[in-house]
Amino acid sequence: MDLGIKGKTAIVCAGSKGLGRGCAEALAEAGVSLILNARSKDVLEATAEDIRRTYGVTVTTVACDVTTEAGREALLAACPNPDILVNNAGGPPPGDFRDWDRSHWIAALDANMLTPIFLIKAVVDGMMARGFGRVVNITSAAVKAPIDILGLSNGARSGLTGFVAGVARKTIARGVTINALLPGPFETDRIQQTAKSAAAASGRDVEAVLAERRAANPAGRFGTRQEFGAACAFLCSQHAGFITGQNILIDGGAYPGTM
Ligand code: NAD
């Protein structure tokens, strides 16, 4: 399918690895030029070079922490008028809410709620003026069904989801959609980290924890970044102009509800 976005420009945050990388690759395959961000310069450059070589699109790198004001300024200076914005950042650490003080909550809110909100604020009026824009927020299946050890994530991402539910209805008449993709378990570094924590807490082997998690999913496996990226690219396509304010689970059927 021709996604109809060849020649557009996308900012992809936290895109050197994992789900963000999957989104960057799928957009590049559709002919979209990228402003690619991540913290670690070496990994970011290697990913950017891989994408340039494979898809022949322009990839500009901005190595910074997108959850800081300086990071966001650097990103927007490299691309003040993107057609597409993919919001992403590392997830908050797992733990027990009794151990979290104000600083833990502020860090989670900064990373997973306020950073996407400030980036949307910075680009959405330009998108509306130009009559086309796509924002995809990578959140989590935890927005739909909370994960007990990820209270910081449950809370911060639900805040973002509530904000977007309002604003996404204000932009679509001018060609701008804002949606979220809610990943269930995906084969990325993040799932390795959470499995390590679970293994340490229960005194089990990491591989055993991972195998158990794969088996517990109706698909019998984790998702891949390519599957995630393809859904993102579709939401960013010309064909998805009537989809806004939605929270789309990609979880292999793990959520047990009818809707
Ligand atoms: P990952 O650890 O595989 O990759 C994270 C990427 O983000 C890397 O490129 C890293 O450099 C970059 N990054 C992290 N923090 C950053 C920051 N502050 N500024 C700029 N770049 C930053 O993670 P992932 O599995 O791709 O997860 C992406 C998001 O999706 C996370 O918020 C995670 O919590 C969430 N999520 C993932 C899963 C899963 O199964 N993988 C499930 C639910 C939610």
Side-chain angles (χ1 to χ4, degrees):
M1 184 193 283
D2 178 0
L3 297 183
I5 48 176
K6 189 172 179 177
K8 303 270 188 209
T9 301
I11 293 179
V12 180
C13 304
S16 70
K17 293 201 265 181
L19 304 180
R21 177 173 179 156
C23 296
E25 289 168 329
L27 289 169
E29 190 175 5
V32 173
S33 302
L34 301 176
I35 312 301
L36 194 63
N37 153 259
R39 279 174 307 190
S40 153
K41 194 170 169 47
D42 291 353
V43 185
L44 177 62
E45 289 301 338
T47 300
E49 191 44 38
D50 210 24
I51 292 175
R52 287 183 200 111
R53 217 179 23 245
T54 309
Y55 302 107
V57 296
T58 306
V59 183
T60 304
T61 57
V62 182
C64 63
D65 182 340
V66 73
T67 68
T68 65
E69 207 173 322
R72 289 189 293 277
E73 274 172 14
L75 203 48
L76 291 165
C79 182
N81 296 309
D83 304 298
I84 295 167
L85 168 66
V86 179
N87 275 316
N88 186 29
D96 185 317
F97 75 92
R98 293 168 190 82
D99 299 327
W100 299 327
D101 59 26
R102 190 167 192 280
S103 66
H104 296 100
W105 279 105
I106 295 297
L109 293 173
D110 265 342
N112 299 109
M113 178 180 169
L114 298 177
T115 289
I117 289 174
F118 286 137
L119 286 174
I120 290 169
K121 179 182 163 189
V123 302
V124 80
D125 288 335
M127 288 176 171
M128 287 166 73
R130 294 188 300 279
F132 178 90
R134 298 284 184 263
V135 178
V136 174
N137 298 317
I138 300 180
T139 62
S140 172
V143 170
K144 182 102 174 156
I147 301 169
D148 61 351
I149 57 165
L150 291 177
L152 290 168
S153 173
N154 300 340
R157 295 187 201 274
S158 294
L160 172 65
T161 305
F163 165 75
V164 164
V167 80
R169 272 87 184 175
K170 298 282 182 204
T171 59
I172 186 162
R174 307 277 295 277
V176 181
T177 69
I178 312 179
N179 293 288
L181 287 175
L182 282 55
F186 276 80
E187 198 78 64
T188 69
D189 288 1
R190 166 81 174 169
I191 211 156
Q192 296 284 340
Q193 282 161 16
T194 56
K196 260 186 212 155
S197 308
S202 63
R204 284 181 305 154
D205 185 59
V206 182
E207 277 313 313
V209 171
L210 287 168
E212 193 178 283
R213 285 194 184 172
R214 286 190 188 96
N217 188 281
R221 65 176 177 88
F222 295 148
T224 67
R225 73 167 196 260
Q226 289 81 3
E227 290 171 316
F228 193 86
C232 175
F234 178 76
L235 281 180
C236 295
S237 76
Q238 295 286 359
H239 310 295
F242 205 53
I243 304 175
T244 201
Q246 300 306 300
N247 292 283
I248 298 169
L249 260 183
I250 311 184
D251 71 346
Y255 179 74
T258 305
M259 285 187 275

